[in-house]
Amino acid sequence: MVLPDAEAAELIRVEGLHFSRGGRPVLTDVSLSIIEGDFLAILGPNGSGKTTLLKIILGLLKPDQGWVRLFGRPPEDFVERELVGYIPQKATHFDPLFPASVREVVAMALRSGRRRISRPDEDTAVRIALETVDMIEFWNRRIGRLSGGQQQRVFIARAIARNPRILFLDEPTTGVDAENQDRFYDLLGRLNTSGRLTIVLVTHDTGIVNKHVNKVACLNQRLFFHGTHDQFCSSGALKEMIAGGHHLVLHRH
Amino acid sequence: MDAFFEYAFLQRAVGAGVCIAVACAVLGVFLLLRKDAMIGHGLSHIAFAGIALGLLIRQWPMAVSLAVAVVAALGIMKLKESAGFHGDTAIAVCSSLGMAVGVILASISGRFDASLLSYLFGDILAIEPAEVVLSALMALAVLVITAVFYHRFMFMTFDREAAQAAGVPVRRLDALMSVATAITVVLGMKIVGILLVAAFLVIPAAAGLQTAVRFKSAVGIAAVVASASVVVGLAAAYLLDWPASGTIVVVSFLIFGILFLFRRRA
């Protein structure tokens, strides 16, 4: 269940963000607030600045103007990184011959935290995370031998093994077939509702909006819509994006 | 086999060679996966310029070489980041310059002699007891660094952005790995030569990576392949009266070739 905004904590705040690359504006005056319990889809065509926005929120890029607060702090001062999970767009573009088992992939994040973790605690955390994403039977399989959908579930396990409060995903279903996409989104929906995990998903696939999301933001250099799922459906935001000739994946439901 | 127990110089060669080989192999696994296979080759050429500079100014060539190699390693890292070069391009540019400057400086200093050439090809059979201790300390340092930062190195090698978002200080660890590689290359060069150091950084790691399913196994296999190459290579060199460094490299390639036949399938 999503908490009412008035009672829920604000996890992320973005104000007046400007970012340009090579003199070309990528983001212009973007302001956004993400509340605990949100399942927010940031929709936009390719090249609309979605990935850049995520990277600025996470502190991987610095904005030209404006500011970000991650759990109330600027990203550069935010050290409780275990509260944040991130699955980048290129997560599945790793070297397919990389010699890492599924277990090692999940453990690498657990062991990279600020606190030391004992081997039994690590085993338990890895097992619970892999069970949550229904991948426990593959724990000893080399990551490169899994399908795209299975790899994405392992990366979610890697992120949730550290018990984050918010999970960022950048185009997570690229290269995942339609049936596994549904399964993947169902998993995210479950984590959001039962696991009380705030989810921010960046995509150009509008199909996700009808199914699982409770908030929507539309971005194309500027943020031209940010509201609830119902507000999005009754607004002209989707039509506006389509009318703009932007490349979006549309689904009929 | 008796010769190994009889001659102290052979024991020293095996001891130092195995230490350097293991240090190089462990670092090599990370470097290969980071698409930095040529960094050892490049840094060894730059270290050669450092040796020549040290000979010219008549100040400890090894210390000068170490300083030059560390600065170059950090410079290559910076060049890759800011100039947007691919890894190999930055390395190729710096290594070519290093060799060219090395040749010029060696010529000016009038020290283009056997002592300089020993850095190129190494002289593993002439290792001093102190150099064995130095090699062991270096190997220990590399193994400790790798053990302490093992999961962070693996995370940032596998998925750099996710690691950075998770709080792994990727740039500082890049620098640490660059400095560790530079130190390994310079100390290794003195003992086994440019040829062998560059080979040790690549061939055993490549053997481990094509065979192992798990990361830990890849590191272990690389270390075993490197150690076996030193022992078998030195024995073969002694029996056949071949140059030690060249024979060790050929043996490591042969082990690599055998493992290639039994490699895991993608």
Side-chain angles (χ1 to χ4, degrees):
Chain A
M1 195 182 86
V2 180
L3 291 170
D5 286 2
E7 295 174 20
E10 183 181 60
L11 303 187
I12 309 288
R13 185 162 189 85
V14 171
E15 271 305 325
L17 221 57
H18 289 258
F19 185 84
S20 58
R21 191 176 288 121
R24 192 182 67 85
V26 178
L27 294 173
T28 305
D29 197 21
V30 173
S31 298
L32 185 72
S33 169
I34 300 169
I35 306 295
E36 187 154 36
D38 277 359
F39 188 148
L40 169 69
I42 301 179
L43 289 177
N46 292 332
S48 58
K50 307 183 297 292
T51 298
T52 303
L53 176 60
L54 275 199
K55 288 184 178 180
I56 291 174
I57 290 174
L58 289 162
L60 306 183
L61 288 175
K62 280 194 192 315
D64 299 334
Q65 277 181 54
W67 52 263
V68 174
R69 291 292 178 268
L70 203 53
F71 291 86
R73 283 186 295 283
E76 59 272 21
D77 297 338
F78 178 68
V79 291
E80 293 105 333
R81 288 277 163 176
E82 60 277 2
L83 296 176
V84 173
Y86 174 47
I87 302 174
Q89 190 174 5
K90 290 179 181 166
T92 52
H93 293 194
F94 61 88
D95 176 357
L97 297 177
F98 197 102
S101 65
V102 165
R103 193 204 174 285
E104 283 180 312
V105 170
V106 179
M108 65 173 71
L110 271 171
R111 289 276 186 155
S112 297
R114 289 175 303 152
R115 296 184 198 92
R116 288 182 68 84
I117 179 169
S118 68
R119 183 62 193 240
D121 287 348
E122 176 191 315
D123 285 341
T124 307
V126 169
R127 184 176 49 75
I128 291 171
L130 285 174
E131 279 172 353
T132 306
V133 300
D134 203 17
M135 286 297 291
I136 190 71
E137 64 189 290
F138 298 98
W139 70 276
N140 204 24
R141 185 80 58 91
R142 188 159 57 82
I143 185 76
R145 293 194 63 198
L146 301 178
S147 70
Q150 290 172 325
Q151 286 171 0
Q152 285 292 17
R153 274 157 46 210
V154 172
F155 296 145
I156 289 190
R158 184 179 69 191
I160 63 173
R162 298 185 359 149
N163 285 322
R165 284 173 63 191
I166 186 165
L167 178 63
F168 294 91
L169 303 103
D170 192 352
E171 300 281 7
T173 53
T174 307
V176 179
D177 61 66
E179 189 186 334
N180 280 309
Q181 282 188 19
D182 287 344
R183 199 173 164 200
F184 182 77
Y185 288 138
D186 288 344
L187 167 65
L188 292 182
R190 218 166 54 234
L191 289 170
N192 176 241
T193 49
S194 1
R196 300 188 58 78
L197 181 65
T198 303
I199 294 177
V200 179
L201 192 150
V202 153
T203 183
H204 66 288
D205 179 359
T206 59
I208 179 155
V209 175
N210 291 333
K211 276 186 143 184
H212 306 278
V213 166
N214 56 35
K215 296 267 180 72
V216 179
C218 296
L219 183 74
N220 195 7
Q221 187 184 321
R222 293 175 178 275
L223 195 72
F224 58 91
F225 177 85
H226 181 209
T228 64
H229 170 256
D230 293 343
Q231 288 167 340
F232 174 74
C233 291
S234 57
S235 78
L238 186 58
K239 280 182 188 161
E240 200 179 324
M241 273 201 290
I242 297 164
H246 303 305
H247 178 71
L248 284 163
V249 177
L250 301 174
H251 294 253
R252 291 176 190 280
H253 290 280
Chain B
M1 181 57 81
D2 290 345
F4 272 96
F5 298 104
E6 196 175 332
Y7 298 120
F9 76 92
L10 271 180
Q11 292 165 6
R12 288 198 295 271
V14 169
V18 166
C19 289
I20 294 167
V22 168
C24 288
V26 170
L27 277 177
V29 170
F30 291 100
L31 296 176
L32 258 58
L33 285 169
R34 288 157 59 97
K35 317 280 185 229
D36 263 346
M38 295 307 288
I39 186 79
H41 178 83
L43 285 178
S44 61
H45 285 63
I46 294 161
F48 177 74
I51 293 285
L53 178 63
L55 291 172
L56 177 67
I57 61 176
R58 297 181 189 284
Q59 300 292 333
W60 308 289
M62 282 292 283
V64 175
S65 179
L66 192 59
V68 169
V70 167
V71 170
L74 296 173
I76 288 171
M77 190 185 96
K78 196 79 187 161
L79 208 57
K80 278 166 65 179
E81 275 177 12
S82 54
F85 283 168
H86 294 293
D88 282 1
T89 310
I91 293 167
V93 168
C94 293
S95 70
S96 310
L97 180 67
M99 205 57 173
V101 170
V103 169
I104 292 168
L105 292 177
S107 176
I108 293 171
S109 68
R111 299 289 298 273
F112 227 127
D113 53 17
S115 70
L116 186 69
L117 292 180
S118 75
Y119 289 103
L120 284 176
F121 302 108
D123 202 357
I124 195 167
L125 294 175
I127 284 175
E128 299 294 326
E131 289 171 335
V132 180
V133 175
L134 192 65
S135 309
L137 288 175
M138 179 195 74
L140 188 66
V142 169
L143 292 177
V144 167
I145 289 172
T146 311
V148 169
F149 298 105
Y150 177 78
H151 288 91
R152 290 176 180 87
F153 279 147
M154 182 166 47
F155 197 2
M156 63 190 260
T157 305
F158 183 75
D159 188 338
R160 189 177 176 84
E161 275 186 5
Q164 202 175 356
V168 175
V170 294
R171 297 191 65 198
R172 266 184 280 164
L173 291 178
D174 277 344
L176 181 64
M177 189 170 283
S178 293
V179 170
T181 308
I183 293 171
T184 307
V185 164
V186 172
L187 296 182
M189 179 184 70
K190 163 74 176 155
I191 297 165
V192 293
I194 287 176
L195 172 69
L196 208 49
V197 163
F200 274 159
L201 279 168
V202 175
I203 298 175
L209 288 173
Q210 68 176 344
T211 317
V213 173
R214 293 183 305 131
F215 197 84
K216 213 168 261 180
S217 319
V219 174
I221 291 169
V224 170
V225 169
S227 308
S229 304
V230 171
V231 175
V232 177
L234 275 173
Y238 178 79
L239 293 172
L240 301 169
D241 198 21
W242 285 0
S245 55
T247 310
I248 291 170
V249 174
V250 170
V251 167
S252 71
F253 179 78
L254 288 176
I255 298 175
F256 168 83
I258 292 165
L259 289 176
F260 181 78
L261 297 175
F262 297 99
R263 70 191 183 281
R264 63 174 159 73
R265 305 291 166 181

